[in-house]
């Protein structure tokens, strides 16, 4: 489904209990994902060394395609929020657990701790905000693609090889068409 802007605002307005950790990390993650459209595994593998002067350097795991996301003011803010939310300042990962390790298991490739944190976050969102329906991280990726100004920009953000998948699966907003006259 297409996530409405007001739902994102509600999620970002959820008041964290702690100065660092889960709620703040998820909120920073949401901001980051809406700007880049990256897959969860790619975001959770970002290291400090990937944050370079000319942008954020990513080698996408699924396609192996290298991408550089140019810096914008909003992207810099999302990165700053993610760093401030980390429970461990010296972790090499942008998003890390309380021991400073990344969320993605090198053995399994799964991010079980992150998935649990996302579930707990959404339990609070549903209890404490006006949001009544869960959405997934995949829905956030689709919102990014749907909100992109063009199909080609959406394809590039999502690192798809061609635009067919982007159009069929990720562009979820209805197409606006001007009448002939």
């Amino acid at each position: 489904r297409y996530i409405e802007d007001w739902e994102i605002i509600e999620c970002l307005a959820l008041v964290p209990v702690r100065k660092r950790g889960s709620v703040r990390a998820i909120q920073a993650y949401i901001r980051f994902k809406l700007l880049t459209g990256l897959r969860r595994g790619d975001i959770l593998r970002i290291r400090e060394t990937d944050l370079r002067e000319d942008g954020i350097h990513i080698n996408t795991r699924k396609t192996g395609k290298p991408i550089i996301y140019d810096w914008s003011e909003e992207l810099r803010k999302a990165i700053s929020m993610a760093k401030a939310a980390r429970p461990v300042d010296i972790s090499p990962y942008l998003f890390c657990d309380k021991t400073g390790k990344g969320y993605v298991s090198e053995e399994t490739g799964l991010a079980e701790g992150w998935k649990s944190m996302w579930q707990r976050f959404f339990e609070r969102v549903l209890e404490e905000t006006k949001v009544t329906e869960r959405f997934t991280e995949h829905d956030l990726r689709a919102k990014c693609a749907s909100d992109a100004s063009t199909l080609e920009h959406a394809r590039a953000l999502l690192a798809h090889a061609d635009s067919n998948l982007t159009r069929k699966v990720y562009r979820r907003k209805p197409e606006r068409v001007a009448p002939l006259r």
Side-chain angles (χ1 to χ4, degrees):
R1 74 182 184 89
Y2 177 75
I3 305 166
E4 299 291 334
D5 291 343
W6 71 266
E7 293 174 285
I8 297 297
I9 292 167
E10 288 286 314
C11 288
L12 297 179
L14 185 67
V15 178
V17 176
R18 297 184 300 263
K19 289 185 179 182
R20 293 178 174 214
S22 59
V23 170
R24 291 184 192 274
I26 297 280
Q27 289 170 332
Y29 175 90
I30 289 171
R31 288 176 188 269
F32 185 83
K33 189 159 190 134
L34 289 174
L35 292 168
T36 64
L38 279 169
R39 294 172 184 89
R40 176 178 57 199
D42 292 331
I43 294 174
L44 296 180
R45 286 182 175 93
I46 294 175
R47 295 173 170 261
E48 286 277 342
T49 55
D50 299 326
L51 309 176
R52 301 185 192 159
E53 202 171 302
D54 64 335
I56 302 172
H57 290 242
I58 305 288
N59 276 323
T60 59
R61 299 284 292 190
K62 190 168 183 178
T63 63
K65 182 179 179 179
I67 299 175
I68 300 172
Y69 287 88
D70 292 332
W71 288 113
S72 69
E73 195 58 39
E74 286 300 311
L75 190 54
R76 287 185 192 280
K77 286 179 189 176
I79 294 293
S80 293
M81 287 179 69
K83 287 180 177 182
R86 292 188 301 186
V88 179
D89 286 329
I90 59 171
S91 175
Y93 293 97
L94 183 60
F95 295 95
C96 66
D97 65 16
K98 62 186 173 192
T99 66
K101 293 181 182 169
Y103 281 100
V104 180
S105 165
E106 293 304 319
E107 294 84 45
T108 65
L110 301 175
E112 295 301 333
W114 185 264
K115 283 172 60 177
S116 298
M117 197 163 69
W118 180 269
Q119 293 299 323
R120 288 190 307 274
F121 174 80
F122 245 93
E123 286 169 12
R124 281 197 58 203
V125 166
L126 293 174
E127 288 173 12
E128 300 175 29
T129 72
K130 295 175 185 171
V131 176
T132 58
E133 189 178 346
R134 284 183 187 273
F135 57 81
T136 67
E137 295 179 63
H138 199 76
D139 293 330
L140 286 173
R141 191 163 150 80
K143 179 169 179 53
C144 178
S146 296
D147 291 350
S149 58
T150 66
L151 177 59
E152 182 54 31
H153 186 215
R155 184 213 55 79
L157 281 167
L158 274 52
H160 286 155
D162 73 49
S163 58
N164 285 334
L165 178 66
T166 311
R167 182 180 43 75
K168 287 178 184 176
V169 177
Y170 292 94
R171 297 282 278 189
R172 296 184 180 172
K173 268 187 186 173
E175 185 177 358
R176 296 201 68 89
V177 180
L180 186 57
R181 288 176 239 218

